């Protein structure tokens, strides 16, 4: 059978790639093939389909026998639903000041989830038990939102990583205070690839209660999942997902993408490649006089400081964002489809602009 004709036209040059975000990348071909495989015929809506059922077995293989996946549309939705599931109406969430839930989700945890965020400044994006204690107090003070959850990000917004031992220490400390632990894993694959350990090593094996599992940044077209690891820690996930507008009717098309990534090693291949390209980029940048790399390059992001006018000229040639424009700090992200030539061409352009 010939493929169906379409009036759709390509409106972009597929050879153009930048360093703005791993969200800019398209879907991995194997994910697109899985979507086509799941198409056709009728499947029960709202998660009662064969693909969502099979995803549960795949997720349990990664995160333990009690794990349950709740596919959602996006990362903000995953975080808001997950945090609602482990808090009361009067509850609060302790997180790093730089956490995505605090600075990059448009106030959704507060406005849509009704959550108070208790933030802590960190030098590297990582919480510690000592930093958590800055906000873990006043549990019975009715004048203060009650701390109920610690939320950490792996890898962090600054591209740094928690070791499994560091997350274990956080979980033990949090649980001793009666707090639950949420892990924002929008780039969890990059963390596991860099640490060279299974994802379970720093999630269910060390005490994480609930997880936002990323897919979009790792090659999916769309879709993430809330993974409940500790069933005793959550309440009414199905109702929360629906009322938060994150229940997909044709859920098979979210689930099959996550299955394509997780069933074998596509998630790991994609993450390893993105991380390797970030390392290549960092090595090239370090050789450019006047450019300073600010944080350890441990995942797929490079944070650097360089003259503001150089960044502005370079942005006319490649897409990327300022991280802190006043300080001249930029962020360069690599993706599963970033090539060695992309990196080398960018570094050469950076050298040209710095020499002007």
């Amino acid at each position: 059978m010939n493929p169906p004709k379409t009036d759709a036209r390509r409106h972009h040059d597929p050879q153009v790639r930048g360093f703005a975000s791993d969200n800019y990348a398209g879907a991995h071909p194997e994910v697109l093939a899985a979507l086509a495989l799941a198409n056709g015929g009728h499947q029960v809506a709202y998660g009662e389909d064969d693909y969502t059922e099979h995803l549960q077995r795949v997720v349990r293989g990664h995160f333990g026998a009690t794990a349950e996946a709740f596919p959602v549309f996006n990362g903000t939705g995953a975080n808001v639903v997950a945090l609602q599931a482990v808090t009361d109406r009067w509850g609060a969430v302790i997180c790093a000041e730089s956490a995505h839930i605090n600075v990059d989700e448009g106030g959704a945890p507060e406005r849509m989830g009704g959550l108070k965020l208790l933030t802590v400044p960190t030098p590297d994006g990582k919480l510690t038990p000592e930093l958590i204690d800055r906000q873990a107090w006043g549990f019975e003070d009715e004048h203060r939102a009650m701390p109920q959850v610690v939320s950490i990000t792996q890898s962090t917004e600054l591209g740094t990583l928690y070791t499994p031992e560091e997350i274990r220490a956080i979980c033990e400390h949090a649980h001793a205070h009666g707090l639950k632990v949420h892990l924002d894993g929008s780039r969890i694959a990059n963390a596991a690839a860099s640490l060279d350990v299974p994802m379970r090593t720093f999630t269910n094996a060390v005490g994480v209660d609930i997880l936002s599992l990323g897919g979009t940044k790792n090659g999916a077209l769309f879709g993430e999942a809330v993974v409940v690891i500790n069933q005793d820690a959550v309440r009414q996930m199905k109702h929360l997902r629906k009322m938060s507008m994150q229940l997909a009717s044709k859920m098979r098309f979210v689930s099959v993408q996550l299955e394509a990534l997780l069933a074998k090693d596509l998630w790991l291949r994609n993450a390893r490649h993105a991380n390797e390209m970030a390392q290549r980029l960092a090595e090239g940048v370090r050789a450019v006089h006047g450019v300073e790399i600010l944080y350890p390059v441990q995942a797929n992001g490079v944070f650097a400081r360089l003259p503001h006018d150089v960044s502005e000229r370079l942005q006319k040639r490649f897409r990327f964002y300022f991280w802190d424009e006043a300080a001249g700090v930029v962020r360069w992200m690599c993706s599963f489809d970033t090539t060695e030539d992309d990196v080398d061409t960018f570094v050469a352009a950076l050298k040209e602009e710095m020499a002007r």
Side-chain angles (χ1 to χ4, degrees):
M1 175 182 289
N2 293 325
K5 293 182 178 180
T6 175
D7 290 330
R9 298 176 183 177
R10 176 169 279 163
H11 298 288
H12 77 293
D13 181 351
Q15 300 304 313
V16 172
R17 287 177 291 270
F19 296 88
S21 174
D22 34 13
N23 283 324
Y24 277 43
H28 192 280
E30 292 181 38
V31 171
L32 291 177
L35 281 164
L37 188 68
N39 197 25
H42 286 202
Q43 281 275 285
V44 183
Y46 301 111
E48 299 298 321
D49 59 273
D50 295 337
Y51 295 92
T52 303
E53 179 183 353
H54 188 264
L55 176 64
Q56 303 305 325
R57 296 195 289 271
V58 172
V59 164
R60 287 193 290 270
H62 286 283
F63 301 106
T66 64
E68 185 176 7
F70 294 83
V72 295
F73 289 115
N74 54 49
T76 297
N79 285 336
V80 171
V81 171
L83 292 172
Q84 284 181 297
V86 288
T87 53
D88 295 306
R89 287 189 62 196
W90 50 88
V93 179
I94 300 172
C95 64
E97 192 172 70
S98 59
H100 198 273
I101 58 174
N102 184 50
V103 299
D104 279 312
E105 294 188 342
E110 295 95 339
R111 298 180 185 212
M112 304 303 294
L115 300 164
K116 172 66 176 176
L117 300 182
L118 303 174
T119 64
V120 182
T122 67
D124 56 2
K126 295 164 58 176
L127 290 177
T128 65
E130 294 74 22
L131 290 174
I132 289 168
D133 282 345
R134 294 188 183 182
Q135 292 286 10
W137 55 271
F139 295 96
E140 300 303 323
D141 182 356
E142 67 266 36
H143 301 289
R144 186 171 195 263
M146 181 188 291
Q148 291 188 318
V149 184
V150 173
S151 179
I152 61 176
T153 311
Q154 177 78 323
S155 58
T156 74
E157 286 72 21
L158 301 180
T160 53
L161 299 180
Y162 291 93
T163 66
E165 293 73 22
E166 287 172 331
I167 296 181
R168 183 187 298 276
I170 286 171
C171 290
E172 290 177 352
H173 190 75
H175 292 157
H177 282 285
L179 303 166
K180 302 178 182 72
V181 177
H182 163 255
L183 190 145
D184 181 348
S186 64
R187 295 186 176 96
I188 189 173
N190 300 94
S194 183
L195 294 168
D196 196 25
V197 298
M199 291 183 286
R200 71 176 69 89
T201 306
F202 55 84
T203 53
N204 54 299
V206 295
V208 170
D209 296 296
I210 194 165
L211 161 72
S212 298
L213 177 64
T216 309
K217 292 179 173 64
N218 194 35
L221 181 64
F222 65 92
E224 324 279 301
V226 176
V227 178
V228 176
I229 296 172
N230 177 8
Q231 295 291 336
D232 294 331
V234 306
R235 291 176 300 175
Q236 303 299 336
M237 269 295 305
K238 287 186 176 181
H239 292 278
L240 286 170
R241 178 174 58 177
K242 175 64 175 181
M243 67 181 288
S244 298
M245 298 171 285
Q246 288 292 318
L247 179 63
S249 58
K250 297 183 181 181
M251 196 181 295
R252 58 171 152 160
F253 296 112
V254 181
S255 298
V256 74
Q257 294 180 75
L258 296 174
E259 179 190 347
L261 288 169
L262 297 171
K264 293 185 179 178
D265 68 344
L266 180 58
W267 68 275
L268 186 57
R269 284 187 277 130
N270 286 351
R272 279 178 175 164
H273 178 79
N275 291 356
E276 289 168 1
M277 293 301 98
Q279 288 295 332
R280 187 182 184 93
L281 177 59
E283 290 171 7
V285 166
R286 286 192 185 99
V288 182
H289 179 71
V291 180
E292 177 189 6
I293 294 179
L294 298 179
Y295 306 108
V297 180
Q298 297 178 326
N300 62 321
V302 179
F303 292 77
R305 181 184 290 117
L306 61 157
H308 192 280
D309 60 324
V310 172
S311 294
E312 288 189 321
R313 291 198 303 268
L314 197 57
Q315 283 179 323
K316 295 177 181 178
R317 303 169 67 174
F318 299 89
R319 289 296 299 265
F320 63 87
Y321 291 112
F322 280 100
W323 185 255
D324 182 345
E325 188 166 5
V329 179
V330 298
R331 185 191 75 167
W332 298 317
M333 297 300 298
C334 296
S335 309
F336 76 87
D337 63 349
T338 302
T339 67
E340 292 183 356
D341 186 61
D342 292 335
V343 172
D344 296 345
T345 302
F346 179 81
V347 172
L350 174 61
K351 291 178 179 177
E352 291 175 6
E353 296 299 343
M354 287 293 293
R356 287 179 57 179

